[in-house]
């Protein structure tokens, strides 16, 4: 039962008062500023991946409750959009302070529900916090443009205005960072929001919402609903929702992109990945091997920017053995174990899927250099643990290469030249990230120019841009036109109005001209 406390005890007394009644494990909706229990009798158990204990229960929010959440957001919009931008920024300023003060609580909740190590969970919070910090100065990104005297006595200017009610649909792997990619940018631009956290780990979103309210976000500006396919489809179809942000798998992302676009919404959809690291023989051996191990196995490989595929060029293939030694040295344990390097994967089904993909690789001729599938973690025998696993001699036609594995599995390929390695990466359908490890500026520049991936690392294994840039995955890793956060994020959550004004003394008796006005 202590774990239940971990899941729930971090909400403030104010929030507990509002929703701690009846079933204390039930996660409430947030509608119009109140944490309210859903009337739905259907719910999904949130399980601690290291122990299988039930942490909380997520309701399948009903259609009526969803409608109330959208209605609350719609009602809150007129006054929120007219709230001065400086006031909206100040809410973010307070929120960043509250997130900072509550980082440990958020991290513990993430570790309990998602499984990653506490240190990694703190990184999850911090990378989201940076977006909130950026939102504190977002006014400059909302500035319009002005051209004086486009014609005699006529000026034209453009204004960036909020869209209205926007919605966000989140994946399980970054329970704090990804909600924080979404609602802080949207609401600072003057929109109101309906957030649907992952049904696998909603706790961090609930804590963040509570902190946002404490920071001064007015009732109805941020609302939270729960569920899976049905609620997602309701978001896609709702006439009052103007834009949808999605992060998750390709199956869900392309469905949401098509369905929400079909009903006239803006959509930004960040999806799956297969990120390659090209290792040149002239790279720094020690630093490169550390980077490969950290980026391949960190978060148990459950990062969309995990470096899951290594392409050894020429003699760097000889480093495989050292790679195995370093991977073997990692400690697999519950995320709360301070010594743990990696924790469990999210569910039994996820573990089964990862193991199947590894097996299919072996059956198609890959060499298993390290096998973590049967690992037992003392004290956590029920956990969904997979130890670091390495497959070598993988080829592009193998299932384990074509599919995103999303587990602590590093697959190794080889190429005779940089040219060949770049071709391997470019033939892959995904385009989230790619990295090169080299001491040659010439090789790095060729890679940067020719590689078809949206986020490129040069001796940097996980090149996730900070919030003043945007998260720029490409090819099958992204659908939409405007990326998450940064300038593009502000553009996504605003629309342009262009005003043309005339202030001049007009001569009387000039007559009427029905010709198209021109500036000549
Ligand atoms: P997921 O697609 O299973 O779930 C994401 C969300 O979509 C959840 O809220 C879920 O309820 C909903 N959903 C799932 N299937 C659906 C369907 N068929 N119809 C409607 N809604 C559906 O993803 P996940 O397993 O939670 O997250 C892992 C995936 O997310 C990986 O593929 C990873 O690469 C990707 N991801 C991408 C990025 C990025 O920025 N590119 C970041 C993080 C995670």
């Amino acid at each position: 039962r202590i774990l239940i406390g971990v899941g729930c005890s971090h909400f403030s007394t104010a929030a507990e008062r509002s929703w701690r009644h009846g079933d204390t494990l039930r996660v409430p909706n947030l509608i119009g500023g109140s944490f309210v229990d859903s009337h739905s009798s259907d719910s999904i158990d949130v399980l601690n991946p290291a122990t299988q204990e039930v942490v909380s229960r997520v309701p399948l929010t009903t259609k009526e409750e969803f409608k109330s959440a959208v209605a609350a957001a719609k009602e809150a919009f007129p006054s929120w959009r007219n709230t001065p931008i400086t006031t909206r920024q100040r809410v973010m300023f307070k929120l960043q302070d509250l997130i900072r003060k509550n980082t440990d609580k958020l991290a513990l909740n993430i570790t309990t529900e998602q499984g990653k190590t506490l240190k990694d969970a703190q990184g999850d919070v911090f990378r989201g916090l940076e977006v909130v910090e950026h939102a504190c100065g977002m006014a400059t990104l909302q500035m319009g443009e002005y051209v004086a005297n486009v014609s005699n006595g006529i000026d034209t200017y453009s204004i960036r205005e909020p869209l209205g009610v926007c919605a966000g649909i989140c994946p399980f792997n970054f329970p704090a960072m990804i909600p924080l990619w979404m609602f802080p940018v949207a609401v600072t631009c003057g929109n109101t929001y309906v957030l649907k956290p992952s049904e696998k780990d909603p706790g961090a979103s609930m804590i963040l919402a509570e902190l946002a309210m404490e920071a001064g976000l007015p009732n109805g500006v941020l609302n939270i609903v729960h569920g899976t396919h049905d609620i997602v489809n309701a978001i896609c179809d709702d006439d009052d929702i103007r834009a949808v942000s999605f992060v998750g798998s390709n199956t869900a992302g392309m469905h949401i992109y098509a369905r929400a676009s079909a009903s006239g919404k803006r959509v930004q959809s960040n999806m799956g990945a297969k990120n390659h690291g090209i290792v040149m023989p002239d790279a720094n051996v020690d630093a490169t091997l550390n980077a490969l191990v950290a980026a391949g196995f960190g978060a148990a490989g459950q990062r969309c920017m995990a470096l899951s595929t290594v392409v050894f060029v020429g003699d760097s293939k000889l480093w495989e053995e050292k790679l195995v030694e370093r991977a073997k040295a990692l400690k697999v344990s519950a995320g709360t174990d301070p010594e743990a390097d990696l924790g469990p994967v999210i569910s039994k089904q996820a573990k089964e899927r990862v193991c199947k993909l590894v097996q299919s690789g072996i059956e198609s001729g890959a060499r298993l250099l390290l096998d973590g599938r049967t690992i037992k973690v003392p004290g956590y025998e029920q956990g969904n643990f997979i130890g670091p696993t390495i497959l070598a001699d993988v080829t592009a036609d193998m299932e384990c290469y074509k599919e995103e594995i999303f587990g602590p599995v590093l697959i190794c390929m080889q190429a005779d030249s940089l040219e060949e390695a770049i071709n391997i990466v470019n033939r892959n359908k995904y385009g989230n990230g790619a990295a090169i490890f080299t001491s040659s500026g010439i090789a790095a520049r060729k890679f940067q120019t020719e590689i078809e991936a949206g986020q490129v690392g040069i001796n940097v294994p996980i090149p996730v841009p900070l919030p003043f840039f945007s998260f720029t995955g490409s090819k099958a890793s992204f659908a939409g036109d405007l990326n998450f956060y940064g300038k593009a994020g502000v553009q996504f959550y605003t629309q342009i109005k262009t005003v043309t004004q005339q202030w001049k003394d007009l001569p009387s008796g000039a007559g009427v001209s029905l010709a198209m006005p021109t500036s000549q």
Side-chain angles (χ1 to χ4, degrees), residues 436-469:
I436 187 167
F437 299 91
T438 183
S439 55
S440 156
I442 294 168
R445 193 164 186 283
K446 179 180 168 68
F447 174 79
Q448 174 212 293
T449 310
E450 295 180 14
I451 207 73
E452 292 169 9
Q455 301 173 109
V456 173
I458 296 173
N459 296 319
V460 171
I462 307 186
V464 175
L466 285 165
F468 22 89
F469 293 94

Side-chain angles (χ1 to χ4, degrees), residues 44 168-174 177-178 181 196-201 227-233 236 246-253 255-256 269-275 301-306 346 404 406 430 432 455 471 473 477-478 484:
I44 298 170
I169 301 162
C170 304
F172 78 83
N173 66 328
F174 281 98
M177 180 181 81
I178 286 171
W181 283 2
K196 192 209 83 71
S198 168
E199 66 279 9
K200 300 191 173 88
D201 46 23
T228 57
H229 302 31
D230 289 346
I231 198 93
V232 167
N233 288 338
C236 294
F246 170 82
V247 180
S249 66
N250 282 63
T251 313
H255 165 73
I256 290 164
S269 180
N270 267 12
M271 298 175 285
K274 197 84 183 177
N275 308 306
Q302 299 175 114
R303 290 183 186 137
C304 66
M305 286 293 280
I346 187 72
E404 179 183 35
F406 226 54
Y430 293 110
N432 223 27
Q455 301 173 109
F471 190 99
S477 299
F478 178 68
F484 279 82

Side-chain angles (χ1 to χ4, degrees), residues 14-29:
E16 286 194 7
R17 257 206 310 279
S18 57
W19 59 270
R20 278 287 207 124
H21 40 74
D23 183 349
T24 53
L25 291 190
R26 284 267 283 200
V27 182
N29 291 319

